[in-house]
Amino acid sequence: MTGQGRGAIAGTGTGHAAGKPRSKGFTLLEILVVLVLLSLIVALLMQGLSSLTRFRGHIFSSVERNRAEMMQEYWFRQVVSGVTADDKVRFEGNFARFSGVSQTSLGGLPGAPRSVAFRLIAEGDQLLLLYQEHGREEWVLGRWLEAKGRFEYLDRDGKWTSEWHVEASDPVTRRIPQLVALLIETPERRKLLMASLGGRIAPKADFRRLDD
């Protein structure tokens, strides 16, 4: 009986030790692993957010730049298309500026003749297209970075010239060019704006002349 009691006592003690629950919680190594993973996730999220912000800014900048260029083209063509031959104010121009009388000026009433002038100037590292109407201040119509530009004029014979000057004895049909072209060259691209004067139909032109 004594042996059985010992055996019973020993058996009971062994079962109690095996059924003892483990202590709940994380080890220091597990905590470190979790922190490292969280740091990586946060870093990836921040990088993605930064890229998204830059992409969004780039898109907005491109949209705004395209919108501004469309308005520049529209205003330039609007004014130039209304230029007509005038006995008092002759149309004159060179590679850097031109002036004349337009019936579709930006600040005047539609159909009302008004003296207008465009000119290109370099200001620092920018090329500016300036516009002015008679009796009003000059204002910036276009702006390009690290660019160069010039005006060209198409005559009735389909030839381009960078100088336009007429005499009082010249016939009315030859007092204004058929087309005025504005050529802008930047390090990234080339931009060409053209407008027909007075609703004229331009003759066949050799546009290779503009590449010179």
Side-chain angles (χ1 to χ4, degrees):
M1 293 181 63
T2 304
Q4 292 177 353
R6 290 178 178 174
I9 294 173
T12 303
T14 303
H16 176 73
K20 185 178 179 180
R22 296 180 58 190
S23 177
K24 296 182 179 179
F26 297 100
T27 65
L28 179 59
L29 179 60
E30 292 172 334
I31 293 175
L32 290 175
V33 170
V34 171
L35 291 177
V36 170
L37 292 176
L38 287 176
S39 299
L40 291 175
I41 293 173
V42 171
L44 291 175
L45 288 176
M46 292 300 294
Q47 183 178 3
L49 181 61
S50 178
S51 299
L52 180 61
T53 302
R54 289 197 301 268
F55 178 73
R56 181 182 179 185
H58 177 72
I59 292 298
F60 284 172
S61 177
S62 298
V63 170
E64 185 63 25
R65 183 171 61 253
N66 291 336
R67 176 180 174 275
E69 290 183 355
M70 290 177 62
M71 293 303 299
Q72 292 167 6
E73 295 178 16
Y74 176 76
W75 287 334
F76 179 78
R77 291 193 175 102
Q78 174 183 327
V79 175
V80 176
S81 65
V83 171
T84 57
D86 188 88
D87 292 332
K88 296 181 179 180
V89 181
R90 304 175 188 173
F91 182 93
E92 293 186 334
N94 56 32
F95 72 96
R97 69 181 309 276
F98 70 86
S99 60
V101 173
S102 175
Q103 295 182 353
T104 53
S105 62
L106 299 180
L109 296 174
R114 183 184 289 268
S115 297
V116 297
F118 287 91
R119 69 187 183 107
L120 293 168
I121 65 167
E123 187 175 273
D125 59 351
Q126 293 184 330
L127 178 69
L128 305 182
L129 173 62
L130 303 179
Y131 170 74
Q132 187 175 26
E133 298 180 6
H134 178 70
R136 299 195 176 186
E137 294 185 0
E138 195 173 45
W139 57 288
V140 179
L141 187 63
R143 188 190 305 268
W144 299 272
L145 184 64
E146 297 180 353
K148 58 182 180 179
R150 70 180 190 272
F151 294 111
E152 293 277 348
Y153 312 95
L154 184 69
D155 63 19
R156 288 177 56 87
D157 300 323
K159 297 179 180 179
W160 291 100
T161 177
S162 58
E163 297 284 340
W164 191 273
H165 179 73
V166 296
E167 301 294 340
S169 58
D170 292 339
V172 176
T173 56
R174 289 189 175 273
R175 291 182 183 178
I176 59 175
Q178 302 293 307
L179 283 177
V180 173
L182 170 59
L183 182 64
I184 302 294
E185 295 180 90
T186 68
E188 295 81 19
R189 60 178 180 142
R190 170 178 290 186
K191 184 180 182 67
L192 178 63
L193 298 181
M194 291 192 299
S196 176
L197 281 71
R200 296 185 171 190
I201 300 176
K204 185 177 181 181
D206 184 3
F207 290 98
R208 292 174 297 180
R209 164 69 174 79
L210 296 176
D211 295 331
D212 297 341

